[in-house]
Amino acid sequence: MVLTSVEKMVGLQKKTSGIRNICILAHVDHGKTTLADCLISSNGIISSRLAGKLRYLDSREDEQIRGITMKSSAISLHFVKGDQEYLINLIDSPGHVDFSSEVSTAVRLCDGCIIVVDAVEGVCPQTQAVLRQAWLENIRPVLVINKIDRLIVELKLTPQEAYLHLKNILEQVNAITGALFTSKVLEERAEKETESESISDIAPGDQIYDWSAGLEDTDDSHLYFSPDHGNVVFASAIDGWGFGIEHFAKLYSQKIGIKAAVLLKTLWGDYYLNTKAKKIMKGDQSKGKKPLFVQLVLDNIWSLYEAVMKRDKEKIEKIVTSLGLKIGARESRHADPKVHLNAICSQWLPISDAVLSMVCNKLPSPLDITAERVEKLMCVGARTFDSLPPETQELKSAFMKCSSEGTAPVIVFVSKMFAVDAKALPHNKPRPLTQEEIAHRRELAKQRHAEKLAANQGKELSEKPPGENSSEVTGSAGDTKGEEQQLTGQVEIMTSKAMKQEANNKESFIAFARVFSGVVQRGQKIFVLGPKYDPAESLHKLSSQCSATDDLPLVPHMTCCTLENLYLLMGRELEDLEEVPAGNVLGIGGLQDFVLKSATLSTSPACPPFTPLNFEATPIVRVAVEPKHPSDMPQLVKGMKLLNQADPCVQVLIQETGEHVLVTAGEVHLQRCLDDLKERFAKVQISVSAPIIPFRETITRPPKVDMVNEEIGKQQKVAVIHQTKEDQNKIPEGIQVDSDGLVTISTPNKQATLSVRAMPLPEEVTRLLEENSDLIRTMEQLNTSLNEDKKTHEINQKTLDRIKEFKQKLEQNLQGRKWRNAVDQIWSFGPRKCGPNILLYNFESYKKSVWQCLGNAVKEVSKYRDFENSIVSGFQLATLSGPMCEEPLMGVCFTVEKWEMNKVGEMLSISSQDPGECGATEHKQSEDTTLTSGFTDGVYSVNEHQDSSQSVPKSPEKISKHKEDVLLADCYGPFSGQLIATMKEACRYALQAKPQRLMAAMYTCEIMATAEVLGRVYAVLSKREGRVLQEEMKEGTDVFIIKAVLPVAESFGFADEIRKRTSGLASPQLVFSHWEIISSDPFWVPTTEEEYLHFGEKADSENQARKYMNA
C-alpha cells in the first residue's frame, strides 16, 4: 500500500531545506536498481518481499530481459527522521558504458549522489568514470559498499579477511577522489601563478620556487569516504540489510558503557577492546587482537548467516529473541534460507533507514548549492563569470537563494527528453467510476439486452412459412432497418475506437527537468534558450524586465513556449501537478516542438544557457537504416526524428549519398535504438546495414626496412616488377612530381601554378590538435569577426591565454630544420577548419596568420588576396575525404611551396577590386559574385572590365586582348572554382607521393575474468586483432583484470562471443579511446626474392589495411 499521497508530496516540495535530489551511480551490475527497489519499498510502493526481484525502475521490457538499466528514471520518496520530514527525489542511472550519457543527464539535476561499489569486484572502470562525472558537476558523493553477502556465501572469507578486503576497497575509492582533488588544486595553483606573474614583475633573482604546490594548505578531509564520517554504508541490498557504524555505536554504547562518540571514532580503524580494563586500545594488528569492527559488527552478521544457512533452529531463535524481532511462520518455514535471512536482516538493519538517513545527513539540500557550481553552470565555453553582462551576474543570487517567491525569476534546466506512451499520461488513465455512472451503465446494458431479445423474436417470426398474414412481412422489414442502424452504430464505434487507438499509440515526450529558481506554474509562458543563445546580444534588443507574454522582436536561439503539463515523476507512474517550487525535479509536458535534447528555460532573457552536459562516451558505431517497403520512408524519417529527441547520445544524419545513418555509442545502445525505431517511433519494418566503421587516412615516413626486415636498397630487386614505372603511369600528364614528393600542378586555364608537398605531423601535434579542436574553432570565429571589422566584445583574457599556451605547445613539438617557422606560417586547420591537419604557406610576398586574434594582425593588399579563400577551401575538401577510401585525413601537413599567378591571373585579382573601396566587403564578395559574373555574362563583363581598366592605365589594344583572355576562361568556369579544384588535386597527389596508411578507431577494453577462463579470453582477443596491454590480479580474489585495445572494426559481436566462450564468467567494457595507424601498407606487393618466398606472388597472406579498405 502506498503510504504517501500526492498531496503530501506537494506539501513537502515547498520546504526546500527538506529536499534531497540524489542519483545512484555505479558500474554495471553492482546493484543500483536493487538498492533503489529497497528504498522504494520503504514507501510501500512495492512490497518488501519483491524488492530486488521486481527492479521497479527498469520499466522497459528490454531492461527486464537483459537485466541492465538503459535509461535514468526518477521517483520521489518520503522519509521521516525524528521530527524532520524529507522529500527524496531519487534518480536511478545505468551503469553500462554505452549509456553513460544517461548518467550525465541524471547528474546535472542532482545535488548529491550515492556511489555503489560491489564488495567482490571492487572499483571498476565505470566506477572511476562516474566518480569523475560527479566531480566535474560539483556534486557530493556518499558510498554504499554493496553485496557484502557475497563475501560470506561465495568467497567464504572470515570476518577478519572481509574487514581487510573492505578497507582495501575504501582505499581504492579514496585514491580516485584524491587524484581528482590533487589535479584541481594544481590547476588552480597554476592559474593563480600566471595571474600573479602578470601583476608583479620581480627581478629574476628574487623568485624562490615553492615546491609545496599548495596541497598542504587546502583541506580535503571532507572529500574522502570513511565510516566514522558517516558517509559510508555497508549493505547487501538483495538481503535487505545495510548499516552505517553509528547504528552499532549507539547500540554498544548502552551495552558496554563506552560513550557513543568514542565508539564512532574507533569502530573503524586499528582499535581493539580490552575487555578486562573495558578500554579501547590502539594497535590491534601488532598485538594480534581482533579489530573492534570485526569483533562487534562483522562477527555478529557472520554468525547470523551461518546459523540460517545451516538451519540451526535453536541459535536462530536465540538471535531473533535477543534482537526483539517478530518473524512470520511463512518466512521461517520457507525452503530457501535466503528468504528467512531477508526477513531477519531487513527488520534488524533495514537498508532503507541506513541509506536514507545518510543521504539526509550528509548530502546537501538545494539551498546549499555552492557558488562555484553556479558559476560553472552559467559560463558556457571559454567565457568567465566576470565577463557575463551585469543582469546575468545578478541571477547568481537567485540561484543561491533557490527562492520560491513570486518575484524570483524562473530558471529550469531540461537535461533530456524521454518518450512515454500516451496511455501512461495521467489524463488518459482509466479512473474509478462514480455510483451514478455505474447506475447509468447498468440501465444502458438492460436496454441493450431487451433490444436483443426483441430482435431475436422478430427473426423467429420471419422464419415462419410465408402468406399467413402480412403483418409479419412488415415486421421483418422493420427488423432489417434495425439491423442497418445497428451496423452504422457499430461502424461509428469502430471508427471512434480506431481514433482512440491512434491517440493512445502516439508517443508523448516529457522533459526531464529541475527547477533552480522561482516557481513553475502550469500554463506559464516561458523563454526556451538554445545552447548558442547569448544574453549579451539579446539584452540590446530586449529589456531585462520583458516577459514571455509580450510581443518581442526575433532573437536568435530563443523561442517562447507554454508549459502545458507538470508531472511528478514516480518511476512508471506520472502524477499531475499545478505548480512546482524551486529545488525540485519534475517532468514537463508539451515541450517536444521546442526542445531537442536539452535546454534552459527561464522567464528572464538575461539567463545564460547552462554549460552543455559532459558525455563520457563518444558515439562511434554507425549503421545505415532504410525501410523494408520504400513507401514507409516518411514514417521512418519521422521515427528517426523522434528517436533523436528521445536519446541524449544518439546522432541521426543524412549522408550525401542520401542514406539515413544512426550513430550510437556501442552495440547494446545500437540494439536499443533499432528496437525503439521498429516498435515505438517509426513502427515499420526496417533493414539495417552492416556497421559503417570510421577510418582515417594518413601518411608516414618512408620505411627503412622491407617486409622481411632487410634494409631497403641492400636486397636484390626482382626484375619482373617495374614498380616505379607503374607508379609514374598512375599520374596524369600536366602534373609533375619530384623525387621528394613535391607536386606541381596548374589550373585548367594555365593562369596559376601551385606546388604542394605533404608531410606527416608528429604524433604529439596530432593529439594536441585533436584535444584543442574547440579552441581552434573559437580562434576561427575570432579571426572572422576581426576580418569583417565587427566590434567584437572584448576578447576574453582567459581564452587568449589558452591560445598562447596552445601556440607554445605547438612550437615545442614542431622543432627541427624542416619545421622552422612552421607555427607562424599556419594558414588553416582542416577539415572543417578545426581538424587535425595543417596547411602551411611557404612562398614569398604573402602574410596571413591564424594567430590574428593574439593581436599580430597583418592588413595588406597582395595579389593573392582575393583567391586565398579558394586555396583554403581546396585544402578543406582534400582533408575531408582522402584518396584511399574517401575518409577524412589525420596528422598530415600540406605546405604550399609556390603559388604563381600569370599576368592575367593578377589582372583578374586587381580587376575584382574596386579602386574606391578595399578591404573587408570586397574580400567577402570576390570569391563568388564579381568573378562569376565577370566570366559568365558576356555583356556585363565587358562593361565591368572597362570600368576596372580605368584604374589600370593601358593602351586600347591591350584592353581588347585582355577581354579575349578573360572570356577564354569562361569555358573552365570561374577562376576561384578552378583554384579550389586544382588545390584539392594537388593535395591528393602530394599525399599519394608519400607512403599512405589507414588509421583504425580503437576501443580500450577492460575484461574481468577468473583464472580458468583466461586462455579463452586471450583466444577471442587475438582472433580479433586485439592487443593485451596489461593484466593484473585483483587483491584478495581470483579475478584477473585484463586491459587490451581492440579495433572498432573487429568489435561487433565481441561481447557476446566472450560471454559464450567463457560461459558468462567474463564480460568486457568497451570505450572508444584513440586512432591508431595500421602498420601494413594497403598497396604493398612483394618486390624482392625474400618477400616472394615469404608472401607469394600476389602477397597471399591477408593484408589487414587492404581488407578494411576493400570492405
Side-chain angles (χ1 to χ4, degrees):
M1 190 199 112
V2 181
L3 304 175
T4 323
S5 65
V6 178
E7 289 74 39
K8 177 84 190 176
M9 292 291 194
V10 172
L12 287 171
Q13 283 188 339
K14 296 193 172 78
K15 294 190 196 121
T16 321
S17 59
I19 298 173
R20 298 286 183 274
N21 296 317
I22 57 164
C23 51
I24 307 184
L25 308 176
H27 187 81
V28 65
D29 283 339
H30 278 201
K32 293 179 294 299
T33 311
T34 308
L35 174 63
D37 267 9
C38 294
L39 304 184
I40 294 166
S41 72
S42 71
N43 266 226
I45 296 169
I46 61 175
S47 117
S48 56
R49 287 199 188 106
L50 288 176
K53 301 175 188 66
L54 189 63
R55 301 207 311 280
Y56 182 72
L57 289 179
D58 285 357
S59 50
R60 294 170 55 104
E61 197 181 337
D62 47 1
E63 289 181 314
Q64 290 287 349
I65 293 167
R66 274 184 188 262
I68 59 171
T69 309
M70 295 186 186
K71 52 144 190 26
S72 42
S73 39
I75 191 161
S76 298
L77 304 175
H78 172 221
F79 178 63
V80 183
K81 184 167 180 259
D83 50 359
Q84 265 284 64
E85 288 192 282
Y86 294 96
L87 172 70
I88 292 172
N89 294 320
L90 176 81
I91 304 176
D92 182 28
S93 67
H96 196 287
V97 65
D98 283 10
F99 305 110
S100 61
S101 58
E102 291 277 348
V103 177
S104 314
T105 60
V107 166
R108 170 59 61 89
L109 303 185
C110 294
D111 302 304
C113 61
I114 301 175
I115 306 275
V116 182
V117 178
D118 183 331
V120 176
E121 290 184 7
V123 175
C124 293
Q126 250 348 71
T127 317
Q128 298 182 16
V130 294
L131 274 164
R132 188 166 57 250
Q133 271 178 318
W135 178 264
L136 287 174
E137 285 285 353
N138 286 29
I139 68 172
R140 197 178 300 165
V142 289
L143 183 69
V144 172
I145 298 183
N146 191 20
K147 303 197 183 184
I148 293 187
D149 59 303
R150 288 181 66 189
L151 300 179
I152 309 174
V153 182
E154 279 177 41
L155 298 186
K156 299 195 166 41
L157 301 182
T158 64
Q160 181 76 30
E161 290 165 345
Y163 168 68
L164 293 172
H165 184 77
L166 292 172
K167 208 166 156 188
N168 197 357
I169 288 176
L170 258 177
E171 277 165 16
Q172 287 175 358
V173 178
N174 285 334
I176 296 168
T177 313
L180 291 166
F181 173 74
T182 320
S183 64
K184 178 188 165 190
V185 170
L186 294 178
E187 262 174 40
E188 283 175 0
R189 163 85 188 221
E191 273 177 24
K192 274 184 195 149
E193 269 183 11
T194 47
E195 279 168 24
S196 60
E197 270 174 26
S198 56
I199 296 165
S200 54
D201 296 325
I202 324 166
D206 306 344
Q207 279 187 335
I208 300 165
Y209 192 71
D210 165 25
W211 289 102
S212 68
L215 281 174
E216 286 75 21
D217 324 331
T218 37
D219 174 36
D220 57 349
S221 58
H222 61 281
L223 292 174
Y224 297 114
F225 300 108
S226 166
D228 49 338
H229 287 172
N231 58 2
V232 180
V233 159
F234 301 94
S236 161
I238 200 82
D239 286 344
W241 60 267
F243 62 89
I245 57 171
E246 58 275 6
H247 174 89
F248 281 96
K250 278 183 202 150
L251 190 86
Y252 283 113
S253 68
Q254 298 156 4
K255 281 198 175 179
I256 315 173
I258 294 174
K259 283 179 194 158
V262 177
L263 273 171
L264 248 182
K265 292 256 183 328
T266 54
L267 255 178
W268 181 263
D270 299 339
Y271 301 97
Y272 72 95
L273 184 66
N274 185 335
T275 36
K276 284 178 190 163
K278 282 229 172 172
K279 273 187 184 165
I280 291 173
M281 319 283 263
K282 205 167 170 40
D284 60 327
Q285 300 273 329
S286 50
K287 301 196 176 68
K289 296 277 201 299
K290 269 189 191 174
L292 265 183
F293 188 69
V294 176
Q295 187 181 354
L296 302 183
V297 182
L298 295 184
D299 276 353
N300 294 323
I301 294 171
W302 255 248
S303 59
L304 171 64
Y305 264 78
E306 194 178 22
V308 178
M309 288 303 184
K310 288 185 177 166
R311 300 286 172 99
D312 185 341
K313 278 198 180 149
E314 288 170 12
K315 196 171 179 186
I316 294 173
E317 272 171 25
K318 194 176 165 191
I319 292 174
V320 170
T321 48
S322 70
L323 292 172
L325 310 176
K326 288 192 175 67
I327 304 296
R330 172 183 168 186
E331 278 83 11
S332 51
R333 292 198 193 118
H334 202 284
D336 181 6
K338 277 273 190 183
V339 175
H340 196 179
L341 242 180
N342 193 333
I344 299 174
C345 295
S346 56
Q347 285 187 39
W348 176 36
L349 303 168
I351 184 169
S352 55
D353 282 6
V355 172
L356 292 179
S357 58
M358 169 171 77
V359 162
C360 296
N361 289 342
K362 291 292 163 194
L363 295 183
S365 76
L367 291 173
D368 306 331
I369 188 166
T370 57
E372 185 186 8
R373 183 174 184 206
V374 173
E375 289 183 16
K376 227 179 186 177
L377 287 179
M378 291 173 79
C379 300
V380 179
R383 304 195 66 165
T384 55
F385 183 70
D386 306 328
S387 69
L388 294 168
E391 294 94 333
T392 306
Q393 293 191 32
E394 282 165 23
L395 288 176
K396 180 177 167 184
S397 62
F399 268 100
M400 302 292 291
K401 279 189 210 140
C402 194
S403 70
S404 305
E405 293 156 21
T407 52
V410 176
I411 303 172
V412 179
F413 181 72
V414 174
S415 74
K416 67 166 187 173
M417 302 292 284
F418 62 97
V420 288
D421 274 336
K423 292 184 204 122
L425 296 177
H427 52 83
N428 291 346
K429 270 191 206 148
R431 53 191 176 82
L433 299 173
T434 59
Q435 288 305 115
E436 291 87 44
E437 283 176 321
I438 292 173
H440 180 63
R441 288 196 177 189
R442 195 180 292 125
E443 287 301 312
L444 280 177
K446 275 183 185 167
Q447 270 178 344
R448 244 181 267 140
H449 187 62
E451 277 169 21
K452 231 183 195 172
L453 280 176
N456 285 347
Q457 281 172 351
K459 262 189 196 165
E460 283 166 18
L461 283 172
S462 63
E463 278 166 15
K464 283 186 179 175
E468 288 194 7
N469 57 17
S470 57
S471 64
E472 291 155 9
V473 184
T474 50
S476 67
D479 202 44
T480 51
K481 229 186 229 172
E483 274 177 29
E484 275 173 23
Q485 281 175 345
Q486 226 172 346
L487 270 174
T488 50
Q490 276 175 339
V491 171
E492 277 171 24
I493 290 168
M494 293 282 278
T495 49
S496 68
K497 265 191 186 166
M499 300 252 291
K500 270 190 183 165
Q501 202 81 27
E502 188 86 334
N504 282 353
N505 283 346
K506 216 175 149 221
E507 292 292 332
S508 195
F509 276 91
I510 290 179
F512 191 39
R514 167 167 170 192
V515 189
F516 280 91
S517 154
V519 180
V520 178
Q521 288 166 342
R522 187 174 175 163
Q524 184 175 23
K525 282 205 116 179
I526 198 163
F527 294 121
V528 180
L529 313 175
K532 290 185 182 170
Y533 171 76
D534 184 2
E537 283 182 21
S538 68
L539 285 171
H540 299 310
K541 299 186 187 173
L542 313 168
S543 74
S544 57
Q545 258 54 56
C546 69
S547 74
T549 46
D550 310 341
D551 282 336
L552 298 172
L554 278 175
V555 177
H557 308 295
M558 172 165 121
T559 50
C560 299
C561 78
T562 310
L563 304 177
E564 289 175 16
N565 292 303
L566 306 179
Y567 299 112
L568 175 68
L569 303 168
M570 291 297 287
R572 304 177 184 190
E573 310 287 320
L574 297 166
E575 302 288 351
D576 266 322
L577 296 174
E578 282 306 312
E579 58 170 43
V580 180
N584 284 291
V585 172
L586 78 161
I588 305 175
L591 288 182
Q592 58 256 46
D593 304 331
F594 301 97
V595 178
L596 180 63
K597 294 186 185 214
S598 65
T600 311
L601 313 178
S602 176
T603 50
S604 158
C607 179
F610 282 25
T611 320
L613 299 163
N614 305 305
F615 287 150
E616 289 276 323
T618 30
I620 188 104
V621 181
R622 296 164 173 255
V623 291
V625 185
E626 59 183 27
K628 285 250 171 80
H629 310 294
S631 57
D632 293 336
M633 197 66 195
Q635 273 141 294
L636 179 70
V637 174
K638 206 160 120 197
M640 297 214 6
K641 273 187 190 155
L642 293 175
L643 175 70
N644 186 28
Q645 194 169 13
D647 192 305
C649 190
V650 78
Q651 290 175 10
V652 174
L653 316 167
I654 299 180
Q655 291 193 316
E656 291 94 14
T657 52
E659 285 180 308
H660 288 263
V661 177
L662 273 186
V663 195
T664 57
E667 250 187 302
V668 187
H669 187 207
L670 171 68
Q671 198 50 53
R672 189 195 86 170
C673 289
L674 293 175
D675 289 348
D676 274 358
L677 250 190
K678 280 182 222 161
E679 285 152 28
R680 294 180 68 178
F681 299 130
K683 298 202 171 92
V684 293
Q685 290 296 308
I686 53 178
S687 47
V688 181
S689 71
I692 308 164
I693 295 113
F695 287 99
R696 294 282 180 269
E697 299 182 24
T698 188
I699 50 175
T700 56
R701 295 208 175 127
K704 299 266 193 316
V705 294
D706 66 4
M707 291 289 279
V708 284
N709 291 342
E710 289 201 343
E711 257 186 74
I712 287 175
K714 297 269 176 78
Q715 347 78 329
Q716 278 181 297
K717 281 275 178 193
V718 177
V720 192
I721 292 181
H722 312 287
Q723 206 181 359
T724 45
K725 271 193 185 172
E726 272 187 21
D727 277 359
Q728 275 168 356
N729 293 345
K730 280 183 200 164
I731 295 165
E733 50 190 306
I735 296 170
Q736 301 160 5
V737 181
D738 296 5
S739 55
D740 62 345
L742 182 71
V743 171
T744 308
I745 182 172
S746 298
T747 53
N749 64 0
K750 304 286 183 281
Q751 300 305 339
T753 310
L754 292 169
S755 298
V756 179
R757 168 175 293 141
M759 291 189 289
L761 283 173
E763 258 181 55
E764 300 78 37
V765 177
T766 314
R767 198 174 307 124
L768 195 63
L769 293 177
E770 266 205 299
E771 284 164 4
N772 290 302
S773 63
D774 290 341
L775 188 63
I776 296 173
R777 206 176 280 132
T778 314
M779 272 166 52
E780 178 63 35
Q781 286 163 356
L782 292 173
N783 289 343
T784 320
S785 54
L786 282 171
N787 282 340
E788 293 174 0
D789 285 340
K790 267 194 195 165
K791 287 281 163 272
T792 50
H793 25 262
E794 204 45 49
I795 298 173
N796 182 334
Q797 191 53 43
K798 204 170 172 188
T799 315
L800 285 182
D801 292 343
R802 280 176 61 205
I803 294 174
K804 278 180 192 152
E805 188 189 359
F806 171 56
K807 189 176 175 184
Q808 280 168 357
K809 280 185 186 163
L810 275 178
E811 280 164 350
Q812 283 163 11
N813 287 319
L814 288 175
Q815 284 180 343
R817 190 175 50 86
K818 63 175 184 180
W819 296 112
R820 191 172 298 136
N821 298 339
V823 178
D824 291 320
Q825 291 176 343
I826 295 177
W827 195 352
S828 177
F829 301 94
R832 301 196 178 89
K833 299 206 173 176
C834 59
N837 304 288
I838 293 183
L839 175 66
L840 305 178
Y841 59 88
N842 197 3
F843 49 91
E844 296 301 312
S845 75
Y846 180 75
K847 269 205 161 24
K848 167 91 176 158
S849 171
V850 287
W851 311 108
Q852 245 177 310
C853 46
L854 291 180
N856 44 9
V858 192
K859 275 270 178 193
E860 63 151 273
V861 182
S862 79
K863 57 180 179 177
Y864 304 121
R865 260 287 299 266
D866 281 334
F867 301 119
E868 57 188 21
N869 278 354
S870 306
I871 299 286
V872 172
S873 302
F875 159 74
Q876 300 294 350
L877 285 173
T879 49
L880 193 60
S881 59
M884 279 196 286
C885 38
E886 300 295 324
E887 293 282 355
L889 302 184
M890 187 167 187
V892 183
C893 167
F894 292 104
T895 316
V896 180
E897 307 248 327
K898 189 174 78 181
W899 177 7
E900 286 177 354
M901 307 254 269
N902 287 6
K903 280 282 175 281
V904 179
E906 290 179 30
M907 286 281 302
L908 290 173
S909 150
I910 298 165
S911 71
S912 65
Q913 289 184 16
D914 208 35
E917 61 172 63
C918 176
T921 49
E922 152 279 305
H923 170 80
K924 263 198 306 192
Q925 297 167 351
S926 65
E927 218 182 313
D928 321 302
T929 45
T930 33
L931 282 170
T932 334
S933 55
F935 286 131
T936 46
D937 222 7
V939 190
Y940 182 62
S941 70
V942 176
N943 299 343
E944 192 196 43
H945 286 298
Q946 281 172 349
D947 284 353
S948 65
S949 61
Q950 288 166 10
S951 63
V952 186
K954 285 195 171 185
S955 62
E957 303 95 333
K958 279 193 176 169
I959 291 175
S960 59
K961 198 171 173 204
H962 172 149
K963 261 190 295 187
E964 283 166 25
D965 277 350
V966 168
L967 295 174
L968 257 179
D970 118 338
C971 65
Y972 295 114
F975 187 53
S976 55
Q978 294 177 45
L979 267 177
I980 292 178
T982 310
M983 178 65 185
K984 182 182 172 187
E985 291 304 299
C987 288
R988 284 200 148 193
Y989 288 121
L991 202 71
Q992 286 169 320
K994 293 279 161 95
Q996 291 171 271
R997 294 287 182 273
L998 266 187
M999 296 181 86
M1002 303 298 272
Y1003 276 138
T1004 45
C1005 160
E1006 295 223 1
I1007 307 174
M1008 299 183 80
T1010 49
E1012 60 262 23
V1013 294
L1014 265 190
R1016 294 180 204 160
V1017 171
Y1018 281 148
V1020 176
L1021 270 171
S1022 60
K1023 177 178 133 188
R1024 290 173 175 265
E1025 313 274 353
R1027 232 186 26 255
V1028 176
L1029 303 178
Q1030 68 178 91
E1031 62 162 8
E1032 50 186 42
M1033 194 168 186
K1034 198 149 225 186
E1035 260 180 80
T1037 62
D1038 57 346
V1039 174
F1040 284 87
I1041 299 174
I1042 302 157
K1043 287 192 178 136
V1045 288
L1046 178 81
V1048 173
E1050 302 287 345
S1051 70
F1052 299 99
F1054 172 70
D1056 287 344
E1057 188 176 1
I1058 276 214
R1059 263 192 225 104
K1060 277 178 196 155
R1061 294 288 296 276
T1062 60
S1063 322
L1065 289 173
S1067 60
Q1069 284 272 40
L1070 299 171
V1071 186
F1072 172 70
S1073 82
H1074 64 285
W1075 296 91
E1076 192 172 282
I1077 296 181
I1078 301 171
S1079 54
S1080 51
D1081 178 357
F1083 300 113
W1084 181 80
V1085 283
T1087 53
T1088 64
E1089 286 182 5
E1090 285 82 6
E1091 288 180 343
Y1092 256 81
L1093 287 172
H1094 275 273
F1095 299 104
E1097 184 82 2
K1098 292 257 172 39
D1100 303 322
S1101 67
E1102 190 177 41
N1103 175 340
Q1104 196 191 353
R1106 188 178 309 150
K1107 180 181 87 178
Y1108 291 149
M1109 204 171 86
N1110 296 337

